[in-house]
Amino acid sequence: MNLIRHLRAAVLVAASFSPLIAAAQAADATYPRGIRIGLAPLEGLSPAKGFVGFESADGAVKVLLTELPPAAYGEVEAAFKAQPEGVGGIKPQSLETGAGKAYYTIESGKDGDTPVRRYSMIVSGGAFSGYVAVQVAESSSAAVTDDKVRQMFGTVTTRKDVPVDEQLALMPFKVTELANFKMVRTLAPGSALLLGDAESEAKIETAPFMVLGLIGSAPEKSDDRARFAQQAAAQVPGLRDARITLSEPVRIDGAPGFETRIEAISGADKTPVTVVQWLRFGGGNVAVRIIASAPREGWSSAFPRFRSVRDGIRMR
């Protein structure tokens, strides 16, 4: 995968920019809630309301932060070394940050009819790759210069983990029981949570794990829920040779639900697993979706833990 494909992975939306934004001073990095990459934002930028990152008061200057798979940084680094002159007239550059060596690009473009300046940077976080994208309206380029953005990039740091309480507070429901899972990881801040026992996410399927989240467009009529549950179960990623062994309605904490069990093969190690999907229906067309997987030989001991987590979920 080439450098530009990674560094253009996120697109920011900006309109116009009026207030002066000065360069960030040496300061501790600020971590947006739920992720492991942070930086010292330029003066005048505040936590964004509609995305993970920072923005100016009028929403014109935006700084997006996100996490990519760990291999993304290595692929970008390899592309940088193979084509140091860049691709398509966009030359990658490197700099040292609080998290180590990073690579970034600068390019001009348009957001609708508004000329903008876009900056994209990637850095290694060890178990993940940190990605930062900045967009500045051309009319503000005198105040927010390339040098000032580069200076802000230099303040980027990473942390090993996000505090568990911080992750749980972002979820649209309360998780009151974690069943002693060793790993608690936000897959998407405010949307999905991973609980696991594996030493790393790369080997997640070799030990019991759960994914908790919401699923939209859920049917409100009970007659449609069996078909919906089976369709959702068929879309569980990472399974091969999957076979549904059980699919039936259940009650979950007094609410209507549906349980589907699957026998399958998962992961690079071809681990035989048993998977259970629970859907807990509520008001409207949104359902809590719980996917739990364990190696088949350890299923009997993992299942009570899965139920404990499931039964500890409370709607906010």
Side-chain angles (χ1 to χ4, degrees):
M1 188 175 294
N2 66 45
L3 174 67
I4 303 305
R5 182 175 168 190
H6 273 304
L7 296 186
R8 299 169 93 177
V11 178
L12 301 177
V13 178
S16 60
F17 176 71
S18 55
L20 177 66
I21 304 240
Q25 303 298 314
D28 292 336
T30 298
Y31 291 92
R33 293 177 67 188
I35 66 171
R36 292 172 285 178
I37 180 172
L39 52 72
L42 298 174
E43 184 180 342
L45 298 184
S46 302
K49 297 179 180 179
F51 60 91
V52 180
F54 306 91
E55 62 185 340
S56 59
D58 61 0
V61 175
K62 297 179 184 287
V63 180
L64 169 74
L65 294 91
T66 192
E67 297 179 13
L68 297 177
Y73 176 81
E75 292 171 357
V76 169
E77 184 177 46
F80 176 84
K81 293 177 179 178
Q83 295 178 297
E85 71 283 358
V87 178
I90 301 174
K91 180 179 174 60
Q93 302 178 60
S94 64
L95 78 160
E96 290 297 327
T97 73
K101 179 174 282 189
Y103 299 95
Y104 72 98
T105 59
I106 305 173
E107 59 183 306
S108 297
K110 281 195 173 183
D111 178 23
D113 294 328
T114 304
V116 295
R117 193 79 160 155
R118 292 195 177 105
Y119 308 80
S120 301
M121 190 205 78
I122 193 168
V123 68
S124 175
F128 67 99
S129 297
Y131 179 86
V132 185
V134 179
Q135 181 167 290
V136 180
E138 187 179 87
S139 58
S140 305
S141 59
V144 185
T145 63
D146 293 353
D147 286 343
K148 288 179 179 178
V149 173
R150 179 185 172 95
Q151 183 178 352
M152 180 173 64
F153 279 166
T155 70
V156 166
T157 61
T158 60
R159 53 183 175 175
K160 182 178 179 181
D161 294 298
V162 178
V164 172
D165 289 346
E166 180 180 323
Q167 296 183 64
L168 298 182
L170 294 173
M171 297 303 296
F173 44 77
K174 293 182 180 180
V175 182
T176 64
E177 176 57 60
L178 296 177
N180 296 316
F181 276 103
K182 300 174 184 178
M183 177 194 303
V184 180
R185 182 85 73 239
T186 300
L187 296 179
S191 298
L193 189 73
L194 170 69
L195 309 178
D197 278 344
E199 295 299 323
S200 71
E201 292 178 32
K203 294 286 188 178
I204 192 69
E205 74 284 340
T206 62
F209 76 90
M210 303 183 73
V211 176
L212 318 177
L214 293 182
I215 185 169
S217 302
E220 296 186 45
K221 296 181 179 180
S222 58
D223 292 344
D224 298 326
R225 288 171 177 167
R227 173 184 51 81
F228 181 80
Q230 292 193 27
Q231 289 177 342
Q235 297 173 8
V236 174
L239 301 183
R240 302 188 299 279
D241 301 328
R243 179 175 63 91
I244 292 178
T245 61
L246 173 73
S247 190
E248 64 183 16
V250 294
R251 303 292 292 184
I252 301 176
D253 194 30
F258 218 93
E259 177 176 326
T260 305
R261 297 194 193 183
I262 306 167
E263 300 287 332
I265 302 299
S266 181
D269 294 335
K270 299 181 180 180
T271 303
V273 296
T274 298
V275 179
V276 59
Q277 172 189 264
W278 285 298
L279 298 180
R280 173 179 167 172
F281 301 98
N285 62 351
V286 175
V288 177
R289 186 188 192 193
I290 303 164
I291 299 171
S293 172
R296 209 165 295 164
E297 61 184 15
W299 171 256
S300 60
S301 60
F303 186 71
R305 297 173 65 199
F306 295 157
R307 287 195 56 169
S308 178
V309 174
R310 183 201 71 180
D311 294 343
I313 293 176
R314 300 287 182 269
M315 302 309 295
R316 294 189 186 277

